[in-house]
Amino acid sequence: RPLRPGPFPQRSTLCDRLFCKMVRVSVLHDCLNAIVNAEKRGRRQVLIRPCSKVVIKFLQVMQKHSYIGEFEIVDDKRSGKIVVELRGRLNKCGVISPRFDLQLTDFDRWVQQLLPSRHFGFLVLTTSYGIMDHQEAIRKNTGGKILGFFY
């Protein structure tokens, strides 16, 4: 690394000495961000990596409500990849971090905060019955932890 001009030499940081790498904080956040960016660009499909069980279940909920098309899981003998067909119907999706606890009585407040309308879009929850949208959780009379939203 060249020295900085001036009387003081450039100091090396601890990160330079240890060869630090950036770490992935949330695989689900990276996935949903890639999908939203591809939708904004008008792409027909998007490649998502790495793959996880939570990402697959979240995509299945989105697919059930026809916000995305088919998706294919590619096993590359590492962490896996997913190729998602986009339909151009998704406006926004995001992750809620930390995963707050939701009771049945809290659903209306969270829907009001996150979604543009009461009858438009879905909250995705992880419950003891699995990962599902908020309407299915109301039908099953269960609460859970909020993962994210899409509309």
Side-chain angles (χ1 to χ4, degrees), residues 36-98:
V36 167
N37 288 341
E39 281 276 5
K40 286 180 183 175
R41 294 286 311 257
R43 302 277 166 90
R44 300 309 303 160
Q45 56 181 214
V46 62
L47 179 70
I48 295 165
R49 48 174 289 271
C51 178
S52 76
K53 290 182 197 176
V54 174
V55 168
I56 292 169
K57 294 289 188 186
F58 200 103
L59 291 176
Q60 285 173 347
V61 172
M62 291 173 77
Q63 187 181 30
K64 185 176 87 174
H65 295 290
S66 69
Y67 277 82
I68 61 172
E70 298 291 318
F71 61 91
E72 179 184 353
I73 300 164
V74 180
D75 183 25
D76 60 353
K77 305 288 188 201
R78 291 178 183 83
S79 58
K81 298 176 185 174
I82 306 173
V83 178
V84 180
E85 300 291 328
L86 301 177
R87 293 197 168 159
R89 192 174 163 213
L90 191 67
N91 295 316
K92 187 168 185 186
C93 57
V95 175
I96 304 300
S97 180

Short mmCIF file of all heavy atoms in Angstrom, two decimals, residues 36-98:
data_model
loop_
_atom_site.label_atom_id
_atom_site.label_comp_id
_atom_site.label_asym_id
_atom_site.label_seq_id
_atom_site.Cartn_x
_atom_site.Cartn_y
_atom_site.Cartn_z
N VAL A 36 -35.99 -7.78 -4.67
CA VAL A 36 -36.55 -6.43 -4.87
C VAL A 36 -35.74 -5.67 -5.92
O VAL A 36 -36.30 -5.02 -6.80
CB VAL A 36 -36.59 -5.66 -3.53
CG1 VAL A 36 -36.86 -4.20 -3.76
CG2 VAL A 36 -37.66 -6.23 -2.64
N ASN A 37 -34.41 -5.78 -5.85
CA ASN A 37 -33.57 -5.07 -6.81
C ASN A 37 -33.79 -5.60 -8.23
O ASN A 37 -33.83 -4.84 -9.19
CB ASN A 37 -32.10 -5.18 -6.42
CG ASN A 37 -31.77 -4.35 -5.20
OD1 ASN A 37 -32.51 -3.44 -4.85
ND2 ASN A 37 -30.68 -4.69 -4.54
N ALA A 38 -33.93 -6.92 -8.37
CA ALA A 38 -34.18 -7.50 -9.69
C ALA A 38 -35.55 -7.09 -10.22
O ALA A 38 -35.71 -6.85 -11.42
CB ALA A 38 -34.05 -9.02 -9.63
N GLU A 39 -36.53 -7.02 -9.33
CA GLU A 39 -37.88 -6.57 -9.75
C GLU A 39 -37.83 -5.12 -10.23
O GLU A 39 -38.45 -4.77 -11.23
CB GLU A 39 -38.86 -6.67 -8.57
CG GLU A 39 -39.37 -8.06 -8.32
CD GLU A 39 -40.55 -8.44 -9.18
OE1 GLU A 39 -40.94 -7.67 -10.08
OE2 GLU A 39 -41.07 -9.54 -8.97
N LYS A 40 -37.09 -4.27 -9.52
CA LYS A 40 -36.98 -2.87 -9.94
C LYS A 40 -36.29 -2.74 -11.28
O LYS A 40 -36.62 -1.84 -12.06
CB LYS A 40 -36.21 -2.07 -8.88
CG LYS A 40 -37.00 -1.79 -7.63
CD LYS A 40 -36.16 -1.00 -6.64
CE LYS A 40 -36.92 -0.77 -5.35
NZ LYS A 40 -36.07 -0.10 -4.34
N ARG A 41 -35.33 -3.60 -11.55
CA ARG A 41 -34.62 -3.58 -12.83
C ARG A 41 -35.43 -4.21 -13.96
O ARG A 41 -35.05 -4.13 -15.12
CB ARG A 41 -33.30 -4.33 -12.72
CG ARG A 41 -32.26 -3.72 -11.82
CD ARG A 41 -31.61 -2.49 -12.40
NE ARG A 41 -31.15 -2.67 -13.75
CZ ARG A 41 -29.90 -2.85 -14.12
NH1 ARG A 41 -28.95 -2.88 -13.23
NH2 ARG A 41 -29.59 -2.99 -15.39
N GLY A 42 -36.53 -4.88 -13.62
CA GLY A 42 -37.36 -5.51 -14.64
C GLY A 42 -36.84 -6.87 -15.10
O GLY A 42 -37.15 -7.30 -16.20
N ARG A 43 -36.05 -7.52 -14.28
CA ARG A 43 -35.51 -8.83 -14.64
C ARG A 43 -36.59 -9.90 -14.56
O ARG A 43 -37.55 -9.78 -13.82
CB ARG A 43 -34.36 -9.22 -13.69
CG ARG A 43 -33.22 -8.25 -13.66
CD ARG A 43 -32.28 -8.52 -14.82
NE ARG A 43 -31.34 -7.44 -15.04
CZ ARG A 43 -30.16 -7.35 -14.49
NH1 ARG A 43 -29.77 -8.25 -13.63
NH2 ARG A 43 -29.36 -6.34 -14.79
N ARG A 44 -36.40 -10.97 -15.32
CA ARG A 44 -37.36 -12.07 -15.33
C ARG A 44 -36.98 -13.16 -14.32
O ARG A 44 -37.83 -13.92 -13.89
CB ARG A 44 -37.45 -12.71 -16.72
CG ARG A 44 -37.89 -11.77 -17.81
CD ARG A 44 -39.15 -10.99 -17.51
NE ARG A 44 -40.29 -11.81 -17.19
CZ ARG A 44 -41.36 -11.37 -16.55
NH1 ARG A 44 -41.43 -10.13 -16.15
NH2 ARG A 44 -42.36 -12.17 -16.30
N GLN A 45 -35.70 -13.23 -13.96
CA GLN A 45 -35.29 -14.19 -12.95
C GLN A 45 -34.10 -13.64 -12.19
O GLN A 45 -33.42 -12.72 -12.64
CB GLN A 45 -34.97 -15.56 -13.54
CG GLN A 45 -33.95 -15.59 -14.60
CD GLN A 45 -33.73 -17.00 -15.13
OE1 GLN A 45 -32.62 -17.31 -15.48
NE2 GLN A 45 -34.73 -17.83 -15.18
N VAL A 46 -33.88 -14.22 -11.01
CA VAL A 46 -32.80 -13.76 -10.14
C VAL A 46 -32.15 -14.97 -9.49
O VAL A 46 -32.82 -15.96 -9.19
CB VAL A 46 -33.34 -12.76 -9.08
CG1 VAL A 46 -34.35 -13.39 -8.17
CG2 VAL A 46 -32.21 -12.17 -8.27
N LEU A 47 -30.82 -14.89 -9.30
CA LEU A 47 -30.06 -15.94 -8.65
C LEU A 47 -29.80 -15.53 -7.21
O LEU A 47 -29.29 -14.43 -6.95
CB LEU A 47 -28.73 -16.16 -9.37
CG LEU A 47 -27.81 -17.21 -8.78
CD1 LEU A 47 -28.39 -18.60 -9.00
CD2 LEU A 47 -26.44 -17.12 -9.39
N ILE A 48 -30.16 -16.41 -6.29
CA ILE A 48 -30.01 -16.12 -4.87
C ILE A 48 -29.05 -17.13 -4.27
O ILE A 48 -29.17 -18.33 -4.51
CB ILE A 48 -31.37 -16.22 -4.15
CG1 ILE A 48 -32.30 -15.14 -4.66
CG2 ILE A 48 -31.20 -16.13 -2.66
CD1 ILE A 48 -33.72 -15.36 -4.31
N ARG A 49 -28.08 -16.63 -3.52
CA ARG A 49 -27.18 -17.50 -2.81
C ARG A 49 -26.77 -16.81 -1.51
O ARG A 49 -26.71 -15.60 -1.48
CB ARG A 49 -25.94 -17.85 -3.63
CG ARG A 49 -25.24 -16.69 -4.28
CD ARG A 49 -23.98 -17.11 -4.95
NE ARG A 49 -22.94 -17.46 -4.01
CZ ARG A 49 -22.07 -16.61 -3.50
NH1 ARG A 49 -22.13 -15.34 -3.83
NH2 ARG A 49 -21.15 -17.00 -2.67
N PRO A 50 -26.54 -17.48 -0.44
CA PRO A 50 -26.69 -18.91 -0.23
C PRO A 50 -28.15 -19.28 0.03
O PRO A 50 -29.00 -18.40 0.20
CB PRO A 50 -25.83 -19.15 1.01
CG PRO A 50 -25.90 -17.89 1.77
CD PRO A 50 -25.99 -16.80 0.73
N CYS A 51 -28.39 -20.55 0.09
CA CYS A 51 -29.73 -21.10 0.26
C CYS A 51 -29.90 -21.52 1.73
O CYS A 51 -28.94 -21.93 2.36
CB CYS A 51 -29.84 -22.30 -0.68
SG CYS A 51 -31.38 -23.16 -0.57
N SER A 52 -31.09 -21.40 2.26
CA SER A 52 -31.37 -21.90 3.61
C SER A 52 -32.82 -22.36 3.67
O SER A 52 -33.63 -22.03 2.81
CB SER A 52 -31.09 -20.83 4.66
OG SER A 52 -32.11 -19.88 4.68
N LYS A 53 -33.14 -23.09 4.72
CA LYS A 53 -34.51 -23.59 4.89
C LYS A 53 -35.50 -22.46 5.05
O LYS A 53 -36.61 -22.50 4.51
CB LYS A 53 -34.59 -24.50 6.12
CG LYS A 53 -33.89 -25.81 5.99
CD LYS A 53 -34.12 -26.60 7.27
CE LYS A 53 -33.13 -27.73 7.40
NZ LYS A 53 -33.29 -28.42 8.69
N VAL A 54 -35.12 -21.42 5.79
CA VAL A 54 -36.00 -20.29 6.03
C VAL A 54 -36.27 -19.54 4.73
O VAL A 54 -37.40 -19.16 4.44
CB VAL A 54 -35.41 -19.35 7.11
CG1 VAL A 54 -36.25 -18.10 7.26
CG2 VAL A 54 -35.28 -20.07 8.42
N VAL A 55 -35.24 -19.37 3.91
CA VAL A 55 -35.40 -18.70 2.62
C VAL A 55 -36.36 -19.49 1.74
O VAL A 55 -37.27 -18.93 1.11
CB VAL A 55 -34.04 -18.50 1.92
CG1 VAL A 55 -34.22 -18.08 0.48
CG2 VAL A 55 -33.20 -17.50 2.67
N ILE A 56 -36.21 -20.80 1.69
CA ILE A 56 -37.07 -21.65 0.86
C ILE A 56 -38.52 -21.56 1.32
O ILE A 56 -39.44 -21.40 0.51
CB ILE A 56 -36.57 -23.10 0.88
CG1 ILE A 56 -35.24 -23.19 0.15
CG2 ILE A 56 -37.58 -24.04 0.25
CD1 ILE A 56 -34.53 -24.52 0.32
N LYS A 57 -38.75 -21.62 2.62
CA LYS A 57 -40.13 -21.53 3.15
C LYS A 57 -40.73 -20.15 2.88
O LYS A 57 -41.92 -20.04 2.54
CB LYS A 57 -40.14 -21.82 4.65
CG LYS A 57 -39.77 -23.23 5.01
CD LYS A 57 -40.85 -24.19 4.61
CE LYS A 57 -40.54 -25.58 5.14
NZ LYS A 57 -41.49 -26.57 4.66
N PHE A 58 -39.92 -19.09 3.01
CA PHE A 58 -40.41 -17.75 2.73
C PHE A 58 -40.81 -17.64 1.25
O PHE A 58 -41.86 -17.10 0.92
CB PHE A 58 -39.32 -16.72 3.06
CG PHE A 58 -39.82 -15.32 3.27
CD1 PHE A 58 -39.94 -14.81 4.54
CD2 PHE A 58 -40.14 -14.50 2.20
CE1 PHE A 58 -40.39 -13.50 4.74
CE2 PHE A 58 -40.58 -13.21 2.38
CZ PHE A 58 -40.72 -12.71 3.67
N LEU A 59 -39.97 -18.19 0.37
CA LEU A 59 -40.28 -18.15 -1.06
C LEU A 59 -41.53 -18.98 -1.38
O LEU A 59 -42.30 -18.62 -2.26
CB LEU A 59 -39.09 -18.65 -1.87
CG LEU A 59 -37.85 -17.76 -1.88
CD1 LEU A 59 -36.72 -18.43 -2.64
CD2 LEU A 59 -38.15 -16.39 -2.44
N GLN A 60 -41.75 -20.08 -0.65
CA GLN A 60 -42.95 -20.88 -0.87
C GLN A 60 -44.21 -20.11 -0.49
O GLN A 60 -45.24 -20.23 -1.17
CB GLN A 60 -42.86 -22.19 -0.08
CG GLN A 60 -41.92 -23.20 -0.68
CD GLN A 60 -41.72 -24.42 0.20
OE1 GLN A 60 -42.09 -24.43 1.37
NE2 GLN A 60 -41.11 -25.44 -0.37
N VAL A 61 -44.13 -19.31 0.57
CA VAL A 61 -45.28 -18.48 0.95
C VAL A 61 -45.54 -17.43 -0.13
O VAL A 61 -46.69 -17.19 -0.52
CB VAL A 61 -45.04 -17.81 2.32
CG1 VAL A 61 -46.14 -16.81 2.64
CG2 VAL A 61 -44.97 -18.85 3.42
N MET A 62 -44.47 -16.82 -0.66
CA MET A 62 -44.63 -15.83 -1.73
C MET A 62 -45.18 -16.48 -2.99
O MET A 62 -46.01 -15.90 -3.70
CB MET A 62 -43.29 -15.16 -2.04
CG MET A 62 -42.78 -14.27 -0.94
SD MET A 62 -41.13 -13.66 -1.22
CE MET A 62 -41.43 -12.39 -2.41
N GLN A 63 -44.75 -17.71 -3.27
CA GLN A 63 -45.22 -18.43 -4.45
C GLN A 63 -46.68 -18.83 -4.31
O GLN A 63 -47.44 -18.80 -5.27
CB GLN A 63 -44.34 -19.66 -4.66
CG GLN A 63 -44.62 -20.41 -5.93
CD GLN A 63 -43.73 -21.63 -6.07
OE1 GLN A 63 -43.34 -22.23 -5.07
NE2 GLN A 63 -43.40 -21.98 -7.29
N LYS A 64 -47.08 -19.19 -3.10
CA LYS A 64 -48.47 -19.59 -2.85
C LYS A 64 -49.44 -18.45 -3.17
O LYS A 64 -50.53 -18.69 -3.67
CB LYS A 64 -48.62 -20.01 -1.38
CG LYS A 64 -49.98 -20.55 -1.04
CD LYS A 64 -50.02 -21.04 0.39
CE LYS A 64 -50.37 -19.88 1.28
NZ LYS A 64 -50.58 -20.26 2.68
N HIS A 65 -49.00 -17.23 -2.93
CA HIS A 65 -49.84 -16.06 -3.22
C HIS A 65 -49.51 -15.46 -4.59
O HIS A 65 -49.94 -14.34 -4.88
CB HIS A 65 -49.67 -15.02 -2.12
CG HIS A 65 -50.16 -15.50 -0.79
ND1 HIS A 65 -51.49 -15.69 -0.50
CD2 HIS A 65 -49.48 -15.87 0.32
CE1 HIS A 65 -51.62 -16.12 0.73
NE2 HIS A 65 -50.41 -16.25 1.26
N SER A 66 -48.76 -16.18 -5.40
CA SER A 66 -48.40 -15.86 -6.78
C SER A 66 -47.69 -14.51 -6.94
O SER A 66 -47.88 -13.82 -7.93
CB SER A 66 -49.61 -15.96 -7.71
OG SER A 66 -50.55 -14.94 -7.47
N TYR A 67 -46.88 -14.15 -5.98
CA TYR A 67 -46.03 -12.97 -6.12
C TYR A 67 -44.76 -13.30 -6.90
O TYR A 67 -44.17 -12.42 -7.51
CB TYR A 67 -45.67 -12.39 -4.75
CG TYR A 67 -46.74 -11.48 -4.20
CD1 TYR A 67 -47.84 -12.01 -3.54
CD2 TYR A 67 -46.67 -10.11 -4.35
CE1 TYR A 67 -48.83 -11.18 -3.03
CE2 TYR A 67 -47.65 -9.28 -3.85
CZ TYR A 67 -48.74 -9.83 -3.20
OH TYR A 67 -49.72 -9.01 -2.71
N ILE A 68 -44.32 -14.54 -6.83
CA ILE A 68 -43.20 -15.01 -7.64
C ILE A 68 -43.62 -16.28 -8.35
O ILE A 68 -44.60 -16.93 -7.95
CB ILE A 68 -41.92 -15.27 -6.79
CG1 ILE A 68 -42.18 -16.35 -5.74
CG2 ILE A 68 -41.40 -14.00 -6.18
CD1 ILE A 68 -40.92 -16.79 -5.01
N GLY A 69 -42.88 -16.65 -9.39
CA GLY A 69 -43.18 -17.87 -10.12
C GLY A 69 -42.45 -19.06 -9.51
O GLY A 69 -42.17 -19.10 -8.31
N GLU A 70 -42.11 -20.01 -10.36
CA GLU A 70 -41.40 -21.20 -9.91
C GLU A 70 -39.99 -20.82 -9.46
O GLU A 70 -39.41 -19.87 -9.94
CB GLU A 70 -41.30 -22.22 -11.04
CG GLU A 70 -42.65 -22.73 -11.53
CD GLU A 70 -43.34 -23.59 -10.49
OE1 GLU A 70 -42.66 -24.42 -9.85
OE2 GLU A 70 -44.56 -23.43 -10.31
N PHE A 71 -39.45 -21.61 -8.54
CA PHE A 71 -38.05 -21.45 -8.20
C PHE A 71 -37.38 -22.81 -8.15
O PHE A 71 -38.01 -23.81 -7.84
CB PHE A 71 -37.83 -20.66 -6.91
CG PHE A 71 -38.42 -21.27 -5.68
CD1 PHE A 71 -37.68 -22.13 -4.89
CD2 PHE A 71 -39.71 -20.96 -5.28
CE1 PHE A 71 -38.21 -22.68 -3.74
CE2 PHE A 71 -40.25 -21.50 -4.14
CZ PHE A 71 -39.49 -22.37 -3.37
N GLU A 72 -36.10 -22.82 -8.51
CA GLU A 72 -35.35 -24.06 -8.60
C GLU A 72 -34.15 -23.97 -7.67
O GLU A 72 -33.41 -22.99 -7.68
CB GLU A 72 -34.87 -24.26 -10.04
CG GLU A 72 -34.06 -25.51 -10.25
CD GLU A 72 -33.54 -25.60 -11.67
OE1 GLU A 72 -33.91 -24.77 -12.51
OE2 GLU A 72 -32.73 -26.52 -11.91
N ILE A 73 -33.97 -25.02 -6.87
CA ILE A 73 -32.84 -25.07 -5.94
C ILE A 73 -31.70 -25.79 -6.63
O ILE A 73 -31.85 -26.93 -7.09
CB ILE A 73 -33.25 -25.79 -4.65
CG1 ILE A 73 -34.40 -25.03 -3.99
CG2 ILE A 73 -32.06 -25.89 -3.71
CD1 ILE A 73 -35.13 -25.81 -2.94
N VAL A 74 -30.56 -25.13 -6.75
CA VAL A 74 -29.38 -25.69 -7.42
C VAL A 74 -28.40 -26.11 -6.34
O VAL A 74 -27.96 -25.29 -5.53
CB VAL A 74 -28.73 -24.64 -8.35
CG1 VAL A 74 -27.51 -25.23 -9.02
CG2 VAL A 74 -29.74 -24.13 -9.37
N ASP A 75 -28.07 -27.40 -6.31
CA ASP A 75 -27.12 -27.91 -5.32
C ASP A 75 -25.73 -27.83 -5.91
O ASP A 75 -25.39 -28.55 -6.84
CB ASP A 75 -27.47 -29.35 -4.95
CG ASP A 75 -26.56 -29.89 -3.87
OD1 ASP A 75 -26.01 -29.09 -3.11
OD2 ASP A 75 -26.40 -31.13 -3.80
N ASP A 76 -24.90 -26.94 -5.36
CA ASP A 76 -23.55 -26.77 -5.87
C ASP A 76 -22.51 -27.36 -4.91
O ASP A 76 -21.35 -26.98 -4.94
CB ASP A 76 -23.25 -25.29 -6.14
CG ASP A 76 -23.38 -24.44 -4.90
OD1 ASP A 76 -23.82 -24.96 -3.86
OD2 ASP A 76 -23.04 -23.25 -4.96
N LYS A 77 -22.95 -28.29 -4.06
CA LYS A 77 -22.08 -28.96 -3.07
C LYS A 77 -21.50 -27.98 -2.06
O LYS A 77 -20.54 -28.27 -1.38
CB LYS A 77 -20.94 -29.72 -3.75
CG LYS A 77 -21.37 -30.72 -4.76
CD LYS A 77 -22.02 -31.91 -4.11
CE LYS A 77 -22.26 -32.98 -5.18
NZ LYS A 77 -23.27 -33.92 -4.80
N ARG A 78 -22.07 -26.78 -1.99
CA ARG A 78 -21.65 -25.81 -0.99
C ARG A 78 -22.88 -25.39 -0.21
O ARG A 78 -23.54 -26.23 0.38
CB ARG A 78 -20.97 -24.61 -1.67
CG ARG A 78 -19.63 -24.95 -2.28
CD ARG A 78 -19.03 -23.75 -2.97
NE ARG A 78 -17.79 -24.07 -3.63
CZ ARG A 78 -17.68 -24.61 -4.83
NH1 ARG A 78 -18.78 -24.90 -5.52
NH2 ARG A 78 -16.51 -24.86 -5.36
N SER A 79 -23.20 -24.12 -0.23
CA SER A 79 -24.37 -23.66 0.51
C SER A 79 -25.63 -23.62 -0.36
O SER A 79 -26.71 -23.35 0.14
CB SER A 79 -24.11 -22.28 1.10
OG SER A 79 -23.78 -21.39 0.08
N GLY A 80 -25.50 -23.87 -1.66
CA GLY A 80 -26.66 -23.94 -2.54
C GLY A 80 -27.04 -22.60 -3.14
O GLY A 80 -26.65 -21.54 -2.66
N LYS A 81 -27.80 -22.67 -4.24
CA LYS A 81 -28.29 -21.49 -4.93
C LYS A 81 -29.75 -21.71 -5.27
O LYS A 81 -30.21 -22.85 -5.37
CB LYS A 81 -27.53 -21.26 -6.23
CG LYS A 81 -26.06 -20.99 -6.05
CD LYS A 81 -25.37 -20.86 -7.38
CE LYS A 81 -23.89 -20.72 -7.20
NZ LYS A 81 -23.16 -20.74 -8.45
N ILE A 82 -30.47 -20.63 -5.48
CA ILE A 82 -31.87 -20.69 -5.89
C ILE A 82 -32.04 -19.77 -7.08
O ILE A 82 -31.60 -18.62 -7.04
CB ILE A 82 -32.82 -20.25 -4.75
CG1 ILE A 82 -32.57 -21.04 -3.48
CG2 ILE A 82 -34.27 -20.40 -5.17
CD1 ILE A 82 -33.35 -20.56 -2.29
N VAL A 83 -32.70 -20.26 -8.12
CA VAL A 83 -33.06 -19.43 -9.28
C VAL A 83 -34.56 -19.19 -9.19
O VAL A 83 -35.35 -20.13 -9.22
CB VAL A 83 -32.69 -20.12 -10.60
CG1 VAL A 83 -33.12 -19.25 -11.77
CG2 VAL A 83 -31.21 -20.41 -10.66
N VAL A 84 -34.97 -17.93 -9.07
CA VAL A 84 -36.37 -17.56 -8.87
C VAL A 84 -36.88 -16.87 -10.12
O VAL A 84 -36.25 -15.94 -10.63
CB VAL A 84 -36.53 -16.61 -7.66
CG1 VAL A 84 -37.98 -16.24 -7.45
CG2 VAL A 84 -35.96 -17.24 -6.40
N GLU A 85 -38.02 -17.33 -10.62
CA GLU A 85 -38.71 -16.68 -11.74
C GLU A 85 -39.56 -15.54 -11.18
O GLU A 85 -40.36 -15.76 -10.27
CB GLU A 85 -39.61 -17.67 -12.48
CG GLU A 85 -38.89 -18.86 -13.06
CD GLU A 85 -38.00 -18.49 -14.23
OE1 GLU A 85 -38.36 -17.54 -14.96
OE2 GLU A 85 -36.96 -19.14 -14.39
N LEU A 86 -39.39 -14.34 -11.71
CA LEU A 86 -40.13 -13.18 -11.23
C LEU A 86 -41.32 -12.91 -12.14
O LEU A 86 -41.25 -13.12 -13.34
CB LEU A 86 -39.21 -11.96 -11.18
CG LEU A 86 -37.98 -12.10 -10.28
CD1 LEU A 86 -37.12 -10.86 -10.39
CD2 LEU A 86 -38.40 -12.35 -8.86
N ARG A 87 -42.39 -12.40 -11.56
CA ARG A 87 -43.60 -12.11 -12.32
C ARG A 87 -43.85 -10.62 -12.50
O ARG A 87 -44.78 -10.22 -13.19
CB ARG A 87 -44.81 -12.72 -11.62
CG ARG A 87 -44.78 -14.22 -11.64
CD ARG A 87 -46.13 -14.75 -11.32
NE ARG A 87 -46.16 -16.18 -11.62
CZ ARG A 87 -47.03 -17.00 -11.11
NH1 ARG A 87 -47.94 -16.57 -10.27
NH2 ARG A 87 -47.00 -18.27 -11.43
N GLY A 88 -43.06 -9.79 -11.84
CA GLY A 88 -43.28 -8.35 -11.94
C GLY A 88 -44.41 -7.86 -11.08
O GLY A 88 -44.90 -6.75 -11.25
N ARG A 89 -44.86 -8.66 -10.13
CA ARG A 89 -46.00 -8.31 -9.29
C ARG A 89 -45.58 -7.78 -7.92
O ARG A 89 -46.34 -7.15 -7.22
CB ARG A 89 -46.86 -9.56 -9.12
CG ARG A 89 -48.19 -9.26 -8.54
CD ARG A 89 -49.10 -10.44 -8.48
NE ARG A 89 -50.14 -10.09 -7.53
CZ ARG A 89 -50.76 -10.92 -6.75
NH1 ARG A 89 -50.48 -12.19 -6.82
NH2 ARG A 89 -51.66 -10.50 -5.91
N LEU A 90 -44.34 -8.04 -7.54
CA LEU A 90 -43.85 -7.70 -6.21
C LEU A 90 -43.43 -6.24 -6.16
O LEU A 90 -42.64 -5.78 -6.98
CB LEU A 90 -42.67 -8.60 -5.86
CG LEU A 90 -42.18 -8.59 -4.43
CD1 LEU A 90 -43.23 -9.19 -3.52
CD2 LEU A 90 -40.90 -9.38 -4.33
N ASN A 91 -43.97 -5.49 -5.21
CA ASN A 91 -43.59 -4.09 -5.03
C ASN A 91 -42.47 -3.93 -4.02
O ASN A 91 -41.51 -3.22 -4.25
CB ASN A 91 -44.79 -3.25 -4.58
CG ASN A 91 -45.86 -3.19 -5.63
OD1 ASN A 91 -45.57 -3.00 -6.80
ND2 ASN A 91 -47.10 -3.40 -5.22
N LYS A 92 -42.61 -4.62 -2.90
CA LYS A 92 -41.60 -4.51 -1.85
C LYS A 92 -41.68 -5.73 -0.96
O LYS A 92 -42.76 -6.28 -0.74
CB LYS A 92 -41.83 -3.25 -1.01
CG LYS A 92 -40.72 -3.01 -0.01
CD LYS A 92 -40.80 -1.63 0.59
CE LYS A 92 -39.58 -1.45 1.47
NZ LYS A 92 -39.62 -0.21 2.21
N CYS A 93 -40.52 -6.14 -0.46
CA CYS A 93 -40.49 -7.18 0.57
C CYS A 93 -39.30 -6.88 1.47
O CYS A 93 -38.33 -6.26 1.04
CB CYS A 93 -40.40 -8.57 -0.03
SG CYS A 93 -39.01 -8.87 -1.10
N GLY A 94 -39.41 -7.30 2.70
CA GLY A 94 -38.35 -6.98 3.64
C GLY A 94 -38.37 -7.90 4.84
O GLY A 94 -39.30 -8.66 5.06
N VAL A 95 -37.30 -7.81 5.61
CA VAL A 95 -37.12 -8.61 6.81
C VAL A 95 -37.33 -7.72 8.02
O VAL A 95 -36.93 -6.56 8.02
CB VAL A 95 -35.70 -9.21 6.84
CG1 VAL A 95 -35.43 -9.94 8.13
CG2 VAL A 95 -35.48 -10.12 5.66
N ILE A 96 -37.94 -8.27 9.04
CA ILE A 96 -38.08 -7.57 10.31
C ILE A 96 -37.07 -8.18 11.27
O ILE A 96 -37.12 -9.37 11.57
CB ILE A 96 -39.51 -7.71 10.89
CG1 ILE A 96 -40.54 -7.23 9.90
CG2 ILE A 96 -39.61 -6.95 12.20
CD1 ILE A 96 -40.41 -5.80 9.49
N SER A 97 -36.13 -7.35 11.69
CA SER A 97 -35.09 -7.83 12.59
C SER A 97 -34.98 -6.86 13.76
O SER A 97 -34.87 -5.66 13.53
CB SER A 97 -33.76 -7.91 11.85
OG SER A 97 -32.76 -8.37 12.69
N PRO A 98 -35.04 -7.30 14.97
CA PRO A 98 -35.14 -8.67 15.45
C PRO A 98 -36.52 -9.26 15.22
O PRO A 98 -37.46 -8.52 14.94
CB PRO A 98 -34.84 -8.53 16.94
CG PRO A 98 -35.27 -7.15 17.29
CD PRO A 98 -35.00 -6.33 16.07
#
